Amino acid sequence: MDNGAQRTPATATPPSTPIPKVGVAVFLLNGSKVLLGKRLSAIGHSTFALPGGHLEFGESFEECAAREVKEETGLEIDKTEYLTVTNNVISEKVHVVCIFMRATPADPNQKPQTLEPEKCDGWDWYEWNNLPKPLFGPLENMVQSGYNPFPTTAS
């Protein structure tokens, strides 16, 4: 019996339910340094974070890493590889599954530019053992856990 009610597929998410997003963050390494920028967005405002952003439909992790670094810093990257993933519930409305990648600049002498000044107060290279404070939550959690993005060398 049809009562005229609208039906939604069982797989549809109700509009009021927040859904997780997939982010890609890039440990861009240059010698013993990592590239960080000071966030200006509402989430994590004034914290230091890696370049990155949201994964677009159909995009590989490597493609997203290259696109986001280029859009935010103007840098081309090389030797991009998957590192790890974290599950970050940042607030009651923000849940990000973050894919962490590692890469190096295609040209180590090129300087990062601030191409999205409304989102970032500037980029700089920091020694891994002397990072600025405060760090963006997901990055801070990784640092506190002892995570090291630098490749280990076999002895």
Side-chain angles (χ1 to χ4, degrees):
M1 177 176 193
D2 183 13
N3 63 5
Q6 213 175 9
R7 292 178 179 237
T8 51
T11 58
T13 303
S16 62
T17 303
I19 58 171
K21 294 190 179 206
V22 177
V24 173
V26 183
F27 282 100
L28 188 56
L29 308 180
N30 193 355
S32 62
K33 296 183 178 186
V34 62
L35 186 68
L36 297 176
K38 192 171 187 182
R39 293 174 62 93
L40 295 177
S41 61
I43 298 165
H45 191 276
S46 294
T47 61
F48 289 86
L50 302 165
H54 294 290
L55 185 69
E56 292 182 357
F57 184 84
E59 197 173 39
S60 73
F61 301 157
E62 294 81 3
E63 290 167 337
C64 181
R67 177 182 54 78
E68 286 291 348
V69 169
K70 181 74 170 171
E71 287 175 1
E72 294 178 3
T73 71
L75 299 174
E76 300 280 345
I77 62 175
D78 197 10
K79 301 178 186 164
T80 307
E81 61 183 322
Y82 168 84
L83 289 179
T84 191
V85 63
T86 61
N87 188 31
N88 309 281
V89 180
I90 297 170
S91 73
E92 39 185 66
K93 294 189 178 187
V94 179
H95 180 177
V96 179
V97 175
C98 189
I99 311 298
F100 285 91
M101 305 294 286
R102 173 172 54 211
T104 58
D107 175 359
N109 297 315
Q110 188 180 358
K111 304 287 185 228
Q113 304 166 54
T114 305
L115 298 179
E116 295 178 330
E118 71 285 359
K119 295 179 182 179
C120 179
D121 191 31
W123 298 99
D124 208 350
W125 298 100
Y126 296 92
E127 291 287 341
W128 182 248
N129 294 326
N130 191 26
L131 297 174
K133 300 286 182 197
L135 295 174
F136 185 51
L139 178 57
E140 175 69 22
N141 292 342
M142 290 182 77
V143 169
Q144 291 302 318
S145 76
Y147 188 82
N148 185 343
F150 288 86
T152 56
T153 56
S155 44

